[in-house]
Amino acid sequence: AQSVTQPDIHITVSEGASLELRCNYSYGATPYLFWYVQSPGQGLQLLLKYFSGDTLVQGIKGFEAEFKRSQSSFNLRKPSVHWSDAAEYFCAVGYTGGFKTIFGAGTRLFVKA
Amino acid sequence: DVKVTQSSRYLVKRTGEKVFLECVQDMDHENMFWYRQDPGLGLRLIYFSYDVKMKEKGDIPEGYSVSREKKERFSLILESASTNQTSMYLCASSLTPWTSGYEQYFGPGTRLTVT
């Protein structure tokens, strides 16, 4: 069965430091991959997505993610974190022929001054 | 911009009550979804609809039903609310039927407390 793992429940980084959030998925073929962000009290907003082609994808708010097939990973990165990036981040996977998107458990990001 | 609205941000109901959660999207999307979000569990799909009057069960449909009489509106019904249904409920929509390859647009959520 398809699954998504976000190994880190929460991460704390200093403002201005770099960030990497990890995501691993389980699926036999090339999946559709997404990162969503949820600010406090809000719904989820799409940061970026990967369907095919260049394995390094750029998203909104200065985020990027890299698809690594050999590692079944789709890690999210940002070179310099801002206090407004404090939120919960969800990795999600869709698959060919399926209607369901599978979400990871989420990683909560704390940013310290 | 796509907008997904949910009828209530916060709701408090008593055990045994019938509860209606309403969701409306304004972008003529085919697909609509209901999720519940619980800490440490991420989002779990309750029901999915790919057309008016069409629905599919998700991962946790027990205790819930849905209604989609109009394309833009998707309702979640708790037939007899129980305390274990206390949760955040998120509605979402996406453009194309029967594919998970499109992004979903989410409403702000309804935090339901059942006492």
Side-chain angles (χ1 to χ4, degrees):
Chain A
Q2 294 83 4
S3 64
V4 179
T5 302
Q6 293 181 247
D8 303 303
I9 297 171
H10 53 80
I11 282 181
T12 301
V13 299
S14 298
E15 192 169 16
S18 64
L19 171 70
E20 183 169 25
L21 301 182
R22 297 182 290 164
C23 174
N24 293 96
Y25 65 89
S26 170
Y27 178 57
T30 301
Y32 307 119
L33 296 162
F34 306 86
W35 274 100
Y36 288 86
V37 61
Q38 185 180 33
S39 298
Q42 303 296 317
L44 278 68
Q45 179 187 17
L46 182 73
L47 283 176
L48 48 77
K49 59 188 176 186
Y50 172 80
F51 290 166
S52 63
D54 192 345
T55 56
L56 184 64
V57 294
Q58 303 297 320
I60 62 171
K61 306 185 182 188
F63 286 91
E64 67 177 27
E66 186 172 12
F67 169 55
K68 292 185 177 180
R69 184 190 305 274
S70 61
Q71 299 177 19
S72 297
S73 69
F74 189 56
N75 293 349
L76 182 71
R77 300 193 294 248
K78 187 170 185 178
S80 178
V81 168
H82 187 263
W83 64 267
S84 61
D85 293 324
E88 189 154 23
Y89 292 80
F90 292 92
C91 181
V93 175
Y95 51 97
T96 306
F99 65 81
K100 193 167 69 170
T101 300
I102 300 166
F103 288 82
T107 297
R108 183 167 293 279
L109 173 65
F110 298 94
V111 180
K112 60 182 181 181
Chain B
D1 279 352
V2 175
K3 193 163 187 181
V4 179
T5 57
Q6 296 183 229
S7 52
S8 305
R9 292 300 298 272
Y10 300 93
L11 210 51
V12 180
K13 295 292 182 180
R14 294 193 182 276
T15 301
E17 279 193 82
K18 191 168 186 176
V19 181
F20 293 86
L21 302 182
E22 304 285 338
C23 175
V24 177
Q25 51 96 0
D26 66 359
M27 283 300 291
D28 203 35
H29 282 174
E30 305 287 344
N31 295 344
M32 295 189 75
F33 306 83
W34 274 107
Y35 295 92
R36 65 176 282 175
Q37 181 182 13
D38 299 288
L41 297 178
L43 277 68
R44 292 179 292 167
L45 182 66
I46 304 172
Y47 268 99
F48 157 69
S49 171
Y50 55 93
D51 200 353
V52 173
K53 297 189 187 295
M54 306 306 289
K55 62 186 179 185
E56 290 285 336
K57 292 180 179 179
D59 298 315
I60 52 164
E62 296 78 21
Y64 304 94
S65 62
V66 290
S67 173
R68 193 166 180 199
E69 298 296 321
K70 293 184 178 181
K71 190 175 185 179
E72 68 271 18
R73 188 179 298 269
F74 191 35
S75 302
L76 180 69
I77 304 155
L78 286 66
E79 298 291 343
S80 177
S82 64
T83 55
N84 63 13
Q85 292 178 310
T86 292
S87 186
M88 171 71 88
Y89 290 88
L90 292 170
C91 176
S93 70
S94 70
L95 180 60
T96 306
W98 289 108
T99 175
S100 57
Y102 288 83
E103 71 174 284
Q104 294 182 28
Y105 295 84
F106 285 83
T110 296
R111 185 165 294 283
L112 173 67
T113 301
V114 182
T115 61

